[in-house]
Every structure is written in C-alpha cells, then in structure tokens.
Amino acid sequence: MRYLVTGGAGFVGSHVALALIEHGHHVTILDNLSTGHRAAIPTGAQFHEVDLLDTNRLNTILANGPWDGVLHFAALSLVGASMATPYHYLRQNMLTSLNLIEGCVRYNVPRFLFSSTAALFNNQGNTPLSEDSPINPGSPYGESKFLIERALNWAERIHGLRYGCLRYFNAAGADAKGRLGEDHQPETHLIPLALDSALGRRPPLKLFGNDYPTPDGTCIRDYVHVSDLAEAHILTLNRLDTGSVTYNLGTGQGFSNLNILKAIETVTGRELPWDWAPRREGDPAILVTDPTRIRTELGWQPRYTKIEDIIETAFRWRLAHPNGYRGL
Ligand SMILES: NC(=O)c1ccc[n+]([C@@H]2O[C@H](COP(=O)([O-])OP(=O)(O)OC[C@H]3O[C@@H](n4cnc5c(N)ncnc54)[C@H](O)[C@@H]3O)[C@@H](O)[C@H]2O)c1
C-alpha cells in the first residue's frame, strides 16, 4: 500500500512511518520540520518538506497518487501554548486539517487516520474514559482536535471518506532498537523531562500542582508506548475497509506524577531532583482510558504494560542521544 504521512518527522509519526515500512508499505512523509527532525525520517521513506498551509504543493502531492491512505499527525500540540494563543491554535490545526481532508476527498483517497487526543476529555472523576464519555475539551488544543473529528464525520457523510480517529493518551518511550526517540523543542512531556533532570542535563524537574483530587494530589495519566501506538495504527488501517472508527488508545493503567518520578529513579538508578510548581492551566486531574473497544474490535494488545519498561526504552535513547536529533 502507498501511504502519505503528515508529521512523519515528529515523535509519533516517525514511529508509525517506521512500522508501516516494516509491514512492507510505501511511505511518503510530508512535514514542515517546525517541530520534527530530518534525522527522524525513517530509512526508506520519501520526504517532502511542505507546510500543510501550502495548498498548491499539498494538492500536487495528493494528485500524484493513487494513495491508499493518509495518516495525519501534523499539528500544534501543546496544551499550555494553546491556552496562551487560543485562536492561533484553533486556526492552525483546523486550517491545516481542512486543507488535507478537502484534498483527500478531491483526489479520492479512501482512508484517513487522524491523531486525536485524550485532551478531548476534561475528566473530574476517576472513572476510566470510554469513547462515549462526554466530550468537554479543557483547552483550545483539545477543542481543535474535536472540531477536526467533526469535520471528518462530515467528510464521511457527504463524500464517503473512511476515517479512523485514534485518541492517544500519553505517548511515551522509544523504538526498542534505538532507531527513533522523543525530541520535542520545547519538551513538555513528563518522562523525557524527568530523565534529563535525573541525568543532570536540566534543572530540577517541576511538578505542576499538588492539590488535584487524586490520592497523592498530582495528576494521573495513562502512558502508552509509542511502538504499541504504531501497531494500533496498522490494525486500524486494515479495519477501515468496513467503516469509520474512533478508539481511545491507552493501556488503561493510571500513574500519578509522583508514581512516574519513582519509576524514573528505579530505571535510572539515580536520584531525581524536583520541586513543586503551581498547576498548569488546561490540565485535567485524571486521564485514563478504558481500552475495551480497541482491544475487542481490533485485538490490539500493548506489548509494554509495565511503566518501567516504557521508561527504559526512553532512557536508553536519551543516553545514546544526549542532544536528541540535533547534530545527527
Ligand atoms: N505525543 C503525545 O503524547 C500525543 C498525545 C495525544 C495526541 N497527540 C497528537 O499526535 C500527533 C503527533 O504528536 P507528536 O508528539 O509526534 O508531535 P510532534 O511535534 O513531534 O510531531 C508533529 C509533526 O508535525 C509537523 N508539522 C506541524 N505543523 C505542520 C504543518 N503545518 N505542516 C507540515 N508539518 C507540520 C512537525 O514538524 C512535526 O514533525 C499530534 O497531532 C498530536 O496532537 C500526541
């Protein structure tokens, strides 16, 4: 199959592109390298350095099909930044995605896989979130993703585009063979930040908020290994022939920020320096999924079920790449 992958030079997109190649597919990556890295583009993928706002170049690539599917990872994806510049986030994520969806319809792309997010939910209780839990984004970032899910729904109803919305919980870890890893600039994710603090490459870690309604007062999240995410994409692509789907994608286990700190110390064998900081705007208290639907419908089973194993892959990548992808 021939797949076009937007955002394939980024963290999740590069791991999924690699998995597609390993499954024998042809992969073309479209990325403007705004947060991605040329060195993260897997061997064997074709690459176009293009911005999704550039409809001329986008449509030229889409016209050069036929494509069996498009996987759409490219986005602005920082919750905090979206609270500071809400209209920029809404405009950018909506416009880029609408350009792509419209182009896919125009050039008869049959399958569309979209990186959605747990940030659609603003959970105050501790019940695991199902696909049918109320949508109530706590940030413009989450809202932009919800609007894109709705746009896909209309593309199916009006034009028959088959789509899959995969709502990732917290993507973490790195390719087990060390070929790819996580390198966001700026980094906002807990595990890479904590690893760098433990390694003495950053100042003490800041933990945002100790007064959440959780057992230890810190936020609780569901971490899913990025290679397990990649496998879920492959399974979902195969499923799209029988109709559109929406899945929550996590392991169903919740870890508090303090649990993660402890696991980082166990894996690294180092003491992790850290301090409290005030809550970060837009962060819900608990985001844990109930993964029943994707497990029963697709038979998806995460290989990484222990948080220490997820952290260990990220730790190995950071040890081998102290500057991330820079200089590669
Ligand atoms: N990382 C997570 O834990 C997580 C959780 C939930 C959802 N998501 C979603 O998954 C997707 C990938 O996340 P990630 O962590 O890999 O992010 P990332 O920043 O590493 O990757 C995004 C990629 O998209 C590219 N890009 C951004 N804007 C573009 C544009 N206008 N045109 C072309 N390319 C553009 C960037 O250069 C980058 O390579 C995003 O849509 C994000 O919202 C991620």
Side-chain angles (χ1 to χ4, degrees):
M1 300 272 210
R2 251 186 112 210
Y3 289 115
L4 180 66
V5 178
T6 79
F11 172 47
V12 183
S14 60
H15 283 79
V16 178
L18 179 62
L20 286 168
I21 292 167
E22 288 186 326
H23 278 78
H25 301 300
H26 296 278
V27 170
T28 299
I29 287 175
L30 182 162
D31 198 299
N32 67 358
L33 299 181
S34 55
T35 58
H37 311 271
R38 201 175 284 275
I41 294 167
T43 310
Q46 285 194 9
F47 176 54
H48 297 283
E49 187 172 343
V50 170
D51 195 304
L52 284 168
L53 292 176
D54 183 344
T55 44
N56 285 337
R57 292 190 66 200
L58 170 63
N59 283 323
T60 303
I61 292 168
L62 287 170
N64 185 20
W67 299 101
D68 293 293
V70 164
L71 292 87
H72 180 34
F73 300 91
L76 300 181
S77 53
L78 302 180
V79 168
S82 82
M83 299 297 279
T85 56
Y87 310 113
H88 175 58
Y89 256 72
L90 288 164
R91 186 185 305 116
Q92 184 77 12
N93 283 350
M94 284 300 293
L95 266 185
T96 50
S97 301
L98 289 177
N99 287 345
L100 185 63
I101 295 167
E102 200 174 11
C104 286
V105 167
R106 181 176 303 128
Y107 294 105
N108 298 314
V109 177
R111 301 176 189 84
F112 193 105
L113 211 49
F114 172 55
S115 301
S116 191
T117 172
L120 298 190
F121 305 109
N122 195 357
N123 205 19
Q124 297 305 327
N126 58 6
T127 318
L129 294 154
S130 79
E131 287 76 4
D132 302 322
S133 294
I135 302 289
N136 179 19
S139 64
Y141 163 65
E143 187 75 43
S144 71
K145 292 282 180 174
F146 178 57
L147 294 171
I148 298 160
E149 285 199 1
R150 295 303 305 157
L152 284 168
N153 185 268
W154 285 110
E156 182 189 48
R157 283 164 72 174
I158 298 171
H159 299 289
L161 179 69
R162 290 274 169 82
Y163 68 90
C165 291
L166 293 178
R167 297 168 175 169
Y168 315 152
F169 281 61
N170 282 46
D175 171 54
K177 293 187 180 155
R179 293 165 292 184
L180 301 168
E182 181 168 14
D183 180 8
H184 291 111
Q185 298 292 335
E187 189 55 80
T188 59
H189 295 116
L190 181 58
I191 291 175
L193 286 174
L195 285 172
D196 275 359
S197 293
L199 288 165
R201 292 177 186 159
R202 276 186 195 268
L205 181 75
K206 287 196 184 322
L207 270 200
F208 298 110
N210 58 7
D211 56 352
Y212 285 96
T214 59
D216 66 20
T218 66
C219 289
I220 293 180
R221 294 290 181 268
D222 180 334
Y223 292 85
V224 54
H225 194 278
V226 65
S227 300
D228 285 328
L229 276 186
E231 211 46 46
H233 286 73
I234 308 277
L235 293 170
T236 309
L237 281 172
N238 296 337
R239 169 68 168 70
L240 291 187
D241 290 339
T242 54
S244 297
V245 288
T246 295
Y247 294 120
N248 288 359
L249 203 36
T251 66
Q253 302 176 81
F255 295 94
S256 75
N257 287 347
L258 287 177
N259 293 153
I260 296 295
L261 262 54
K262 200 155 168 275
I264 295 273
E265 293 193 328
T266 306
V267 171
T268 60
R270 297 167 190 239
E271 195 176 318
L272 167 59
W274 65 276
D275 271 327
W276 292 115
R279 283 185 181 205
R280 205 170 45 176
E281 262 198 288
D283 273 340
I286 304 176
L287 289 175
V288 177
T289 185
D290 168 1
T292 304
R293 189 186 286 180
I294 188 161
R295 286 187 180 210
T296 50
E297 289 190 10
L298 298 188
W300 177 73
Q301 283 291 346
R303 276 180 302 150
Y304 292 87
T305 51
K306 284 180 65 186
I307 191 66
E308 289 80 5
D309 293 344
I310 295 178
I311 292 172
E312 206 260 333
T313 59
F315 182 47
R316 272 194 284 125
W317 196 78
R318 293 211 81 76
L319 278 180
H321 302 89
N323 299 313
Y325 286 110
R326 274 156 296 154
L328 292 185

